[in-house]
Amino acid sequence: MRTWSRHRPTGYGASGILHGGPAGPSEAVRLYAEILGAARELLVPLADRAARLLELSALQQPGAAEAAELARWADPRATDYFFRCGPATAWLEVLQEHAPHLLMPDGAVGGRWPTAP
């Protein structure tokens, strides 16, 4: 989980904070919320997240926050579903700037480009 590794190198990191290490209240709350969000994106079945993917794909003017949200989805099926929903062309520019890895060919499925029909 990127959320976990992102916090590990600094000070006590996520592990230290979650196991009682020193942290300010705002840092602990932020970390707790990020880890819960990451666990949700990893463990909640795709069918339960489909409505949010449809909302995201329907946006005509997505921004950095929406690109970051989409990039946090750990399940590659979610990204596939998003692209199959036919998102607005504005998404291509936003993803190129904020989450370019989502536009790269998927080696796990023979190098297919995710936005290909």
Side-chain angles (χ1 to χ4, degrees):
M1 289 176 15
R2 284 189 200 126
T3 298
W4 191 265
S5 63
R6 182 173 54 239
H7 296 286
R8 187 159 173 65
T10 61
Y12 279 95
S15 181
I17 291 170
L18 292 174
H19 291 95
S26 63
E27 182 182 2
V29 167
R30 180 186 52 76
L31 180 63
Y32 180 75
E34 283 189 22
I35 290 175
L36 280 181
R40 178 185 181 278
E41 292 156 8
L42 181 65
L43 302 172
V44 172
L46 182 58
D48 294 340
R49 297 178 285 159
R52 181 60 183 150
L53 285 168
L54 287 171
E55 289 173 8
L56 288 171
S57 70
L59 293 175
Q60 295 299 307
Q61 297 180 336
E66 291 83 13
E69 180 181 352
L70 186 62
R72 285 190 304 265
W73 293 71
D75 187 342
R77 296 173 305 154
T79 306
D80 275 351
Y81 183 70
F82 170 81
F83 285 117
R84 282 184 284 140
C85 289
T89 56
W91 271 102
L92 292 176
E93 184 177 324
V94 171
L95 290 175
Q96 181 62 41
E97 183 177 347
H98 301 287
H101 67 281
L102 294 179
L103 299 174
M104 300 301 294
D106 187 352
V109 292
R112 186 179 60 78
W113 187 47
T115 59

